[in-house]
Amino acid sequence: MVRLGQIFFAWIMMLIALPMAAVAAPYAALVMDARTGEVLHSENADTRLHPASLTKMMTLYIAFEAVEKGEISLDTNIRVSKNAASEPPSKLGLQAGQRIKLRHCIRAAAIKSANDCATAIGEAISGSEAKFARRMNRTALALGMTRTTFKNAHGLTESGHMSTARDMSILGRHVLYDYPEYYNLFSRRTADAGIREVANTNRRLLAAYKGADGIKTGYTRAAGFNLVSSAQRGNERIIATVFGGRSTATRNARIAELLDLGFRKAPSRARINKPDTPDYGTETGPLIADNGGSSDGKAGKTIRLVTAVKTSLRPQMRPMTEPEPVLVAMKDDIKEALQQAQAANIVVAPSVKPEARPADLVLASVQSTVQPRAAAQPREVVTRLSTSGGKHWGINVGRFNSRYQAERALLKTALNEMETLDGSLRSVVKRPKGFEANFNGLTRERAETACRRLQARNVTCFMMGPG
């Protein structure tokens, strides 16, 4: 009888254990030398799995990109929608209608992994979470993340929202090298998120592993305990990614083993080969279909629209010369502005034929036969104010977050308004609140005309007088 009871108990325990094993998240891992991108270890690295909050690395990457391009400012007060406020934990506790600075939402999303902040960031940049997800997919494709499909900004489980250990390692490397000025966020133990202080979800590993300085944790029941981590020791830097950990402790222990493996295998010295910045192909980037991430585990369908012109309207570069870095970076802006300028109706003044020299003209070199006057006439003295012909006026076309953005605005404005700005001097002036883009050396009349024409095209412009 006792034996029968033992068998029955073992059978019950087996029935309980089987469902738990069936829902265990699949395991995947990858170790990469961050300096070169070389893969040092991989296991199931290309299996499409649930990324959970590792998704927020892409949300933050696009936020950094949008700030750099001037689409939004870190001090912009973004409005929290009902959709963002209703996201489940982990969250900062935002309320619908509340306004919060973008920088505080970035900190909360990076450090606390706040879902409400991630959604608010996406809606502030793209207008809706769906549009932001499409931008996430364009960016992922441009970064080389070929087996990733995003459906939301936070990473909570959703059908088709999938990635791989390899793709998330690629994304972590881009965050590290493309936006080093923001990377320190991921190593902060705590941070001020505006409405309260938040603690880092990765603080245990940051404290326990020598050299660890990021990057992002993630957890859902479907995903398990995920982590993309990076650590630096001397000249070596390793990125290790784990999907499907059973707990925070076991995940951190496995990440530590993988980082150790990476430091053992990586050479002491290696030339840093930074990843290429994303190439979107066109100004708006490739269009990604919304049906990505099918249930069979295959990558979503990708649709590309190639709308770039086949021939360049820019003049050929002179031999043995290097293009200026700013002009290289602005090649698409130059092309667009040239097309706009050529499409405009520009009136060219007719050439004036010079008149024939008068026959009775006396040259200064000929000896005059006129006798000098008895008394010298008083001379009229004229003080010359400037060699610029009265061109003491200028115009300002905006204040920007970086010198590059100001120079780009000046170039596009000059190409679009050649009739009034031809011959003016472009200058970027650094101010405490940004970089001002100015055109100098104009007459008052030309400055007024230029401003009127620019304002008619909804371009910010105001005049600057002498002095």
Side-chain angles (χ1 to χ4, degrees), residues 55-252:
T55 299
K56 294 185 179 76
M57 287 194 297
M58 178 59 80
T59 300
L60 294 166
Y61 184 93
I62 294 176
F64 302 153
E65 180 182 67
V67 171
E68 184 184 70
K69 290 184 175 181
E71 299 173 45
I72 195 169
S73 163
L74 288 172
D75 291 317
T76 297
N77 282 306
I78 62 177
R79 187 180 183 277
V80 180
S81 69
K82 290 183 180 179
N83 179 45
S86 64
E87 297 290 5
S90 173
K91 58 195 300 183
L92 185 60
L94 301 177
Q95 302 297 317
Q98 177 182 351
R99 291 191 177 273
I100 183 172
K101 287 187 177 181
L102 176 66
R103 68 169 70 249
H104 292 144
C105 253
I106 286 176
R107 292 173 187 171
I111 294 172
K112 182 178 170 54
S113 199
N115 296 322
D116 49 0
C117 278
T119 299
I121 291 170
E123 292 175 341
I125 292 173
S126 296
S128 71
E129 192 172 20
K131 289 181 180 178
F132 188 72
R134 289 195 287 272
R135 177 164 177 172
M136 294 170 77
N137 288 324
R138 285 200 304 271
T139 305
L141 192 64
L143 295 178
M145 300 168 64
T146 59
R147 295 185 61 77
T148 294
T149 306
F150 293 113
K151 295 289 185 176
N152 57 57
H154 42 68
L156 293 173
T157 303
E158 184 174 342
S159 177
H161 187 99
M162 307 292 279
S163 187
T164 69
R166 187 185 306 277
D167 280 0
M168 281 296 159
S169 299
I170 290 171
L171 176 57
R173 186 166 182 252
H174 273 280
V175 171
L176 171 66
Y177 283 110
D178 292 358
Y179 296 103
E181 64 271 34
Y182 297 106
Y183 183 74
N184 69 86
L185 275 172
F186 302 101
S187 62
R188 298 183 188 180
R189 306 299 198 274
T190 61
D192 175 18
I195 61 176
R196 63 189 177 95
E197 191 91 354
V198 293
N200 198 317
T201 58
N202 195 31
R203 59 189 178 277
R204 293 181 183 177
L205 182 71
L206 293 173
Y209 193 86
K210 180 183 177 183
D213 56 10
I215 304 176
K216 189 72 190 75
T217 63
Y219 169 78
T220 62
R221 183 173 297 179
F225 292 82
N226 298 350
L227 176 59
V228 177
S229 182
S230 179
Q232 183 172 19
R233 292 179 179 176
N235 295 320
E236 302 171 27
R237 178 176 282 280
I238 302 298
I239 293 175
T241 298
V242 162
F243 275 61
R246 295 191 304 275
S247 67
T248 299
T250 58
R251 176 198 66 193
N252 288 356

Side-chain angles (χ1 to χ4, degrees), residues 281-293:
T282 64
E283 184 178 351
T284 57
L287 298 181
I288 308 299
D290 287 336
N291 60 346

Side-chain angles (χ1 to χ4, degrees), residues 257-412:
E257 293 174 0
L258 293 173
L259 289 171
D260 287 343
L261 180 153
F263 283 117
R264 287 197 305 271
K265 285 191 173 184
S268 298
R269 295 186 178 276
R271 183 176 180 180
I272 296 177
N273 181 24
K274 296 181 180 180
D276 294 332
T277 55
D279 180 9
Y280 296 109
T282 64
E283 184 178 351
T284 57
L287 298 181
I288 308 299
D290 287 336
N291 60 346
S294 58
S295 59
D296 59 3
K298 296 181 181 179
K301 182 180 179 182
T302 301
I303 303 174
R304 286 182 178 270
L305 278 183
V306 180
T307 58
V309 295
K310 294 182 179 180
T311 57
S312 173
L313 299 176
R314 290 176 284 114
Q316 295 294 322
M317 189 170 53
R318 293 181 180 179
M320 303 303 292
T321 60
E322 292 292 336
E324 295 183 14
V326 171
L327 293 181
V328 172
M330 293 191 296
K331 60 182 180 181
D332 293 333
D333 297 322
I334 296 172
K335 179 165 59 179
E336 178 188 355
L338 278 172
Q339 291 171 341
Q340 294 174 356
Q342 290 173 342
N345 294 324
I346 301 175
V347 180
V348 179
S351 58
V352 180
K353 184 177 180 180
E355 298 180 359
R357 179 181 295 174
D360 58 349
L361 179 66
V362 179
L363 299 178
S365 59
V366 178
Q367 182 67 35
S368 175
T369 57
V370 180
Q371 296 296 325
R373 297 179 180 178
Q377 297 294 325
R379 296 181 178 180
E380 181 180 357
V381 179
V382 178
T383 302
R384 186 172 186 178
L385 296 176
S386 171
T387 59
S388 62
K391 299 178 179 179
H392 311 296
W393 291 76
I395 63 172
N396 176 284
V397 292
R399 180 179 294 161
F400 301 87
N401 293 329
S402 68
R403 181 175 295 275
Y404 167 78
Q405 293 169 0
E407 289 173 343
R408 180 176 65 177
L410 287 171
L411 183 58
K412 292 183 69 175

